[in-house]
Amino acid sequence: MRQRLSSEPDRYRGRRRVPTPPRSRYAAVVATAFVGAGVVALGAGASLPDAKSVSPTVLADLEAASLTSEQAAERAEDAERASRDGRGGLETSMEDQAEVWRLPLHGYTFTTPYGMRWDKLHAGVDLAAEEGTPYHAIRDGKVKLARYYGGYGNAVILDHGDGTESIYAHSSQLLVQEGQQVKAGDKLGLVGSTGHSFGSHLHLEVHVNGTPKDPIPYLRDRGVDIKLQVEAIYTGVVAS
């Protein structure tokens, strides 16, 4: 070690020099520092999962949870709209493919069938009911006639647009007007005993291309049984 020359400035003049610790003590201090840092690192790492040890299910849940509330709301709205559109399309399709047929009356007594009566054709069926009981259209149609009509008394004739007509006779009161469009099940009038009638009842006829048909088998083929008083909401689906 060289001696400091008297001409060199003393850089430590006025200062207290801290002696350098022996190598053994220096090594101990450094080792202690590393050990302490390792303990801190282990403590911090204990609360964090190892990516390799996290199950795929947990990762999937975390990924799903990252969706914002706005995105989730939009997806729910889209799903609801699709479901609503699907239901609407199904209902419309059913209505387009199936035709509605209804009983002309409820709570009646079947009295007279279609056939020869007093050497004349009884061209319909008679359904006895109390005067004032409402009767209904058996099918969609347009009111062709709604007035007093000879032996039919107060009568309604519906034109169903395909060559078929239905006639409702002996009404005490009419509830529709000529030219009016009606749906199956709409009220047409009230049961009565006008015209050539013996007691309060509804006389119903069905004509196809001008020829009267027996309403019993004709309507039964369309899901409506007058004798059993059973009707179908749609063709082929019978409901009591």
Side-chain angles (χ1 to χ4, degrees):
M1 181 177 179
R2 73 181 182 84
Q3 293 183 350
R4 177 176 61 83
L5 300 176
S6 60
S7 61
E8 293 178 357
D10 187 357
R11 291 177 294 176
Y12 300 100
R13 183 177 298 172
R15 300 180 184 178
R16 181 179 180 182
R17 297 185 62 184
V18 179
T20 302
R23 287 185 175 273
S24 60
R25 287 184 59 193
Y26 181 77
V29 170
V30 172
T32 301
F34 275 107
V35 171
V39 171
V40 172
L42 287 175
S47 61
L48 297 177
D50 184 355
K52 294 188 295 296
S53 65
V54 177
S55 69
T57 302
V58 174
L59 291 176
D61 291 341
L62 292 174
E63 182 179 359
S66 67
L67 288 174
T68 65
S69 59
E70 183 178 355
Q71 290 173 320
E74 289 178 355
R75 291 188 179 185
E77 184 178 355
D78 291 342
E80 182 180 358
R81 185 183 302 110
S83 176
R84 185 169 57 251
D85 293 343
R87 291 195 302 269
L90 177 61
E91 292 171 0
T92 301
S93 176
M94 286 181 63
E95 291 181 0
D96 289 342
Q97 295 177 7
E99 187 173 20
V100 180
W101 291 82
R102 303 297 297 268
L103 282 168
L105 193 63
H106 294 90
Y108 58 84
T109 300
F110 182 86
T111 58
T112 309
Y114 174 94
M116 297 303 295
R117 181 185 183 192
W118 303 329
D119 296 327
K120 292 181 60 177
L121 176 65
H122 184 247
V125 294
D126 291 344
L127 311 176
E130 292 185 4
E131 184 169 347
T133 303
Y135 62 86
H136 315 273
I138 61 172
R139 183 187 176 195
D140 296 358
K142 182 178 181 179
V143 179
K144 178 180 178 180
L145 179 145
R147 55 184 170 84
Y148 194 89
Y149 191 52
Y152 288 98
N154 293 323
V156 175
I157 299 179
L158 291 185
D159 181 356
H160 300 292
D162 59 355
T164 305
E165 294 180 347
S166 55
I167 302 175
Y168 313 77
H170 309 310
S171 309
S172 61
Q173 183 180 346
L174 303 179
L175 302 179
V176 292
Q177 298 178 345
E178 294 179 6
Q180 181 177 339
Q181 293 285 345
V182 297
K183 294 290 187 181
D186 285 353
K187 292 180 182 179
L188 301 178
L190 306 179
V191 171
S193 187
T194 57
H196 297 168
S197 171
F198 300 94
S200 178
H201 72 283
L202 173 68
H203 175 81
L204 173 69
E205 295 184 14
V206 175
H207 291 199
V208 178
N209 296 322
T211 302
K213 300 291 184 181
D214 186 347
I216 299 297
Y218 184 86
L219 294 179
R220 186 183 292 131
D221 289 344
R222 289 153 181 81
V224 176
D225 194 317
I226 291 179
K227 286 189 173 181
L228 296 179
Q229 300 191 38
V230 173
E231 66 185 0
I233 297 178
Y234 296 105
T235 301
V237 183
V238 178
S240 58

